[in-house]
Amino acid sequence: MSTTNQQPGLSYKEIADAIISFLEISLHTILYLRSVYPASTFSRRRAHQVPVYQSRHPQVRGYITNVISSLAPEIHNGKLRRMTVVIKGVEDGLPRERMIFDLGYLGELDKLREGRGSEVGLIGAPNAEELGLMLRGFLIKLNALDGQLLDNKGETTFAVIIETNDSLEPSSNINEDGSVPPWIPALANDTLHPPASQDLEGCTEKHEPLLNVKAVETGVIDIRLMVQECIAKTGIDRLDP
């Protein structure tokens, strides 16, 4: 009787870096698909063999770069539970829709991060090709999402909301040099109800309907996208459950 040794896949750090890059790509593409800015201000690119879009406006690109660099430590530390892209009206400030990215992490992350364990390939983790295919499928679903949602009327803007597993202030806000922290408390209208501390699908508190778009389970860092169209856009006061 013979056995075969299972080859290690990517390390935690490599998967975290790929997820961080994926979130940046997704944020640019959402702003294009949902017409937050004119289509002429975006360039078409390819990621994981899927067409995506990147803003060419220096201020928008700079803002997105700062957002991603500020949330990256939370992912490397296994603390980021949710990133929500809130698209809202310029005139009234009310949310039109929320793109909700939920993240989950393997159970023994703290032990793994001791020493240089996060840089060691993990048994059972996907390799680069497998992870690329997973993210490719995710981007295909994201691109198709535009046809499933109602158009947003009027001029819109956006905000990025993050929530951590420990409900503490993001580590990137702790600056010894006295510089302005990148994250501020979210506006009440922007935040998702119920909060991230509750399971949305099993929650008894009423909330606007959620559309499950796609989930990727790497066994190391899992990511799921849900979309919530808000009453300010639909005009329908329909709450779940």
Side-chain angles (χ1 to χ4, degrees):
M1 184 175 180
S2 62
T3 59
T4 57
N5 292 325
Q6 189 175 3
Q7 294 297 315
L10 295 173
S11 68
Y12 178 83
K13 182 179 184 302
E14 289 171 322
I15 293 175
D17 287 342
I19 295 296
I20 292 165
S21 175
F22 170 78
L23 289 175
E24 183 170 16
I25 293 166
S26 297
L27 182 48
H28 277 276
T29 301
I30 286 170
L31 298 183
Y32 170 84
L33 293 174
R34 304 310 295 148
S35 301
V36 176
Y37 300 109
S40 60
T41 64
F42 290 83
S43 296
R44 181 172 166 136
R45 299 282 189 264
R46 292 187 73 83
H48 304 292
Q49 302 180 18
V50 178
V52 295
Y53 298 88
Q54 183 181 51
S55 174
R56 293 187 288 107
H57 193 286
Q59 289 182 321
V60 176
R61 291 183 64 171
Y63 176 79
I64 293 175
T65 297
N66 289 337
V67 164
I68 297 301
S69 63
S70 297
L71 65 77
E74 312 307 322
I75 294 179
H76 281 127
N77 293 329
K79 299 295 186 183
L80 183 70
R81 174 184 169 91
R82 174 173 294 157
M83 182 188 88
T84 303
V85 183
V86 185
I87 298 175
K88 53 186 180 176
V90 170
E91 291 188 3
D92 57 17
L94 295 177
R96 301 302 193 261
E97 56 197 26
R98 297 182 179 98
M99 307 285 181
I100 305 156
F101 293 87
D102 277 356
L103 286 81
Y105 306 86
L106 79 169
E108 298 184 351
L109 179 57
D110 288 339
K111 183 183 296 185
L112 177 67
R113 292 180 57 247
E114 294 178 1
R116 298 179 63 87
S118 63
E119 299 179 15
V120 177
L122 300 174
I123 298 295
N127 58 35
E129 182 179 0
E130 291 168 337
L131 181 58
L133 288 173
M134 292 177 184
L135 297 180
R136 179 176 185 271
F138 207 129
L139 288 174
I140 290 172
K141 283 286 190 180
L142 180 62
N143 276 328
L145 181 62
D146 192 47
Q148 302 176 47
L149 302 177
L150 297 172
D151 291 339
N152 290 310
K153 304 298 184 182
E155 187 178 358
T156 56
T157 184
F158 77 102
V160 177
I161 311 296
I162 64 169
E163 301 173 49
T164 57
N165 283 323
D166 53 15
S167 299
L168 298 177
E169 193 170 9
S171 59
S172 54
N173 264 15
I174 304 173
N175 299 320
E176 297 181 357
D177 59 4
S179 59
V180 178
W183 299 102
I184 61 173
L187 297 174
N189 278 341
D190 291 347
T191 55
L192 179 67
H193 300 285
S197 59
Q198 302 181 42
D199 180 1
L200 289 174
E201 293 183 342
C203 181
T204 57
E205 182 179 339
K206 291 184 180 297
H207 57 79
E208 291 155 314
L210 292 163
L211 171 65
N212 283 295
V213 179
K214 181 67 175 178
V216 163
E217 297 182 355
T218 70
V220 181
I221 302 177
D222 300 334
I223 183 168
R224 175 178 65 164
L225 172 61
M226 297 176 291
V227 175
Q228 186 180 54
E229 292 190 280
C230 303
I231 294 172
K233 178 174 75 169
T234 63
I236 302 172
D237 191 1
R238 180 170 64 89
L239 300 179
D240 288 345

